[in-house]
Amino acid sequence: MDPGGGAARPGRFFGVYLLYCLNPRHRGRVYVGFTVNPARREQQHNAGRKKGGAWRTSGRGPWEMVLIVHGFPSAVAALRFEWAWQHPQASRRLAHVGPRLRREAAFTFHLRVLAHMLRVPPWARLPLTLRWLRTDFRQDLCLPPPPHVPLAFGPPPPRAPARRRGAVPLANVECESEPEHNAAEALCTVCAGALQDEEGPLCCPHPGCLLRAHVICLAEEFLQEEPGQLLPLEGQCPGCKNSLLWGDLVWLSQRGTEEEEKDLELEEEHWTDMLET
C-alpha cells in the first residue's frame, strides 16, 4: 500500500474517477469521468456546466471526488476504462457482472463493477493504482485487486501518479546516451536495428543502463515469459536485468510538455463532446 501518497513522478496523468453527490436532495448519486487533472476537474463539476462541468452533475452539487484509478499508459486506455465503467452491461468484457440489484446503492454497485474490471483483461495487465481521495468513503472491494495494483490514499502528486510497488523512482529519468552512436545512429538493444524512425524508444530508468529499444522488440522480449498474452505486464531489462513495469516504460517514452498540452486539449474535447450529446 501507499498511505503516504507515493513518490512524485513528473509527467502525464490519466485517471478515471468516481464522484459522489453530497447534496441532500441528490445524495448518493455517482458519476464516472476521465481527467488529466483531478483537482481542476472536481472544481469544474462543482462550478456547473458553463464552467466545463458535465450536464449530469451541473446544478446538483456539491460533488466530491472520492476515488480515482490512475496509471493508464495513454488517454485512450483511460477513456476505454471510463466507458466500460459507465456501461458495464454493454461491455463484452463485463458480461459476467450482474446488473445493479434492487436495493443496491449506486456507489456500492460501481465499486462492484470496478472490482471485476481490475480482474479482467486488458485492465488486469495495466500498472494501475487504486487511490481513495476520501478515506471515509473507503470500502473493501468484493474482489481484491491484482497484486501489482496498489492501494493508495490522499490526493495524487500534482500532474503525477504515485510510484507503484516494485517500480524504480522515475523522477528526472532520461534515456542514457550511447557513447558510440549519435542520436541518428542509435541502435535497438534487442534487435540491433536503427532507432531513428522510432518516435519514443523505450529506455530503462535504472541509472547507468543503456537500454534503448523498439516498442515491438521489447514487448516480444517480455512476452517470452508470458506466452499467450498480447500486452506485457512486466519483464527483465535485457541490459541491467532489473525488473521493469511495462506501463512505466511506455509512460517514460511519451513524457514531454507538448504531449501534456495535448492531454489537456483531449480532456476538454472529451467533455465538449459529452455536453453536446
Side-chain angles (χ1 to χ4, degrees):
M1 293 192 300
D2 180 23
R9 295 193 334 182
R12 314 171 83 190
F13 181 98
F14 306 113
V16 180
Y17 59 85
L18 184 65
L19 285 183
Y20 186 88
C21 185
L22 301 179
N23 187 324
R25 294 180 56 188
H26 307 284
R27 192 175 183 87
R29 291 195 180 191
V30 297
Y31 180 88
V32 172
F34 157 80
T35 187
V36 298
N37 189 320
R40 184 192 65 167
R41 191 67 202 136
E42 184 180 57
Q43 292 176 355
Q44 289 176 321
H45 278 294
N46 285 311
R49 185 175 180 179
K50 293 183 179 180
K51 297 294 185 179
W55 70 269
R56 285 182 54 198
T57 61
S58 184
R60 297 184 175 92
W63 293 87
E64 189 80 21
M65 191 177 291
V66 299
L67 172 69
I68 190 165
V69 179
H70 60 87
F72 296 95
S74 69
V76 172
L79 288 168
R80 288 174 175 169
F81 188 93
E82 175 206 30
W83 182 89
W85 199 2
Q86 292 172 339
H87 309 92
Q89 301 308 312
S91 173
R92 60 183 176 84
R93 301 184 185 279
L94 300 174
H96 63 288
V97 180
R100 181 180 170 186
L101 303 177
R102 185 173 182 179
R103 296 187 177 181
E104 187 176 25
F107 183 69
T108 303
F109 171 65
H110 279 75
L111 291 184
R112 177 159 65 89
V113 172
L114 175 62
H116 285 278
M117 292 183 69
L118 294 175
R119 282 287 179 177
V120 298
W123 308 302
R125 300 189 60 76
L126 295 180
L128 303 176
T129 292
L130 177 61
R131 179 178 293 275
W132 286 97
L133 304 173
R134 281 279 300 265
T135 56
D136 52 328
F137 279 82
R138 179 191 171 188
Q139 295 183 18
D140 291 331
L141 302 186
C142 60
L143 294 173
H148 68 276
V149 177
L151 188 63
F153 302 94
R159 299 289 292 151
R163 181 168 62 91
R164 292 173 290 281
R165 185 179 64 188
V168 298
L170 296 179
N172 302 319
V173 173
E174 299 291 346
C175 287
E176 295 281 352
S177 60
E178 297 188 38
E180 297 180 0
H181 305 279
N182 58 35
E185 298 174 341
L187 302 179
C188 172
T189 304
V190 179
C191 73
L195 285 170
Q196 64 262 31
D197 295 329
E198 188 82 353
E199 291 185 1
L202 300 185
C203 305
C204 178
H206 287 86
C209 183
L210 299 179
L211 172 75
R212 292 172 61 87
H214 296 112
V215 174
I216 294 178
C217 291
L218 196 57
E220 292 177 346
E221 180 82 6
F222 280 14
L223 288 173
Q224 290 181 14
E225 303 298 325
E226 300 179 278
Q229 298 293 341
L230 297 177
L231 179 70
L233 178 60
E234 61 182 323
Q236 187 181 66
C237 173
C240 65
K241 307 304 179 183
N242 283 300
S243 179
L244 300 172
L245 287 175
W246 182 257
D248 280 342
L249 293 174
V250 173
W251 174 84
L252 275 173
S253 72
Q254 297 175 342
R255 188 176 65 180
T257 302
E258 181 179 352
E259 287 79 6
E260 291 175 24
E261 293 302 321
K262 290 180 181 178
D263 295 339
L264 292 172
E265 292 173 5
L266 184 149
E267 184 188 46
E268 297 299 339
E269 291 173 1
H270 171 63
W271 288 109
T272 299
D273 292 342
M274 294 278 286
L275 291 172
E276 292 176 348
T277 55

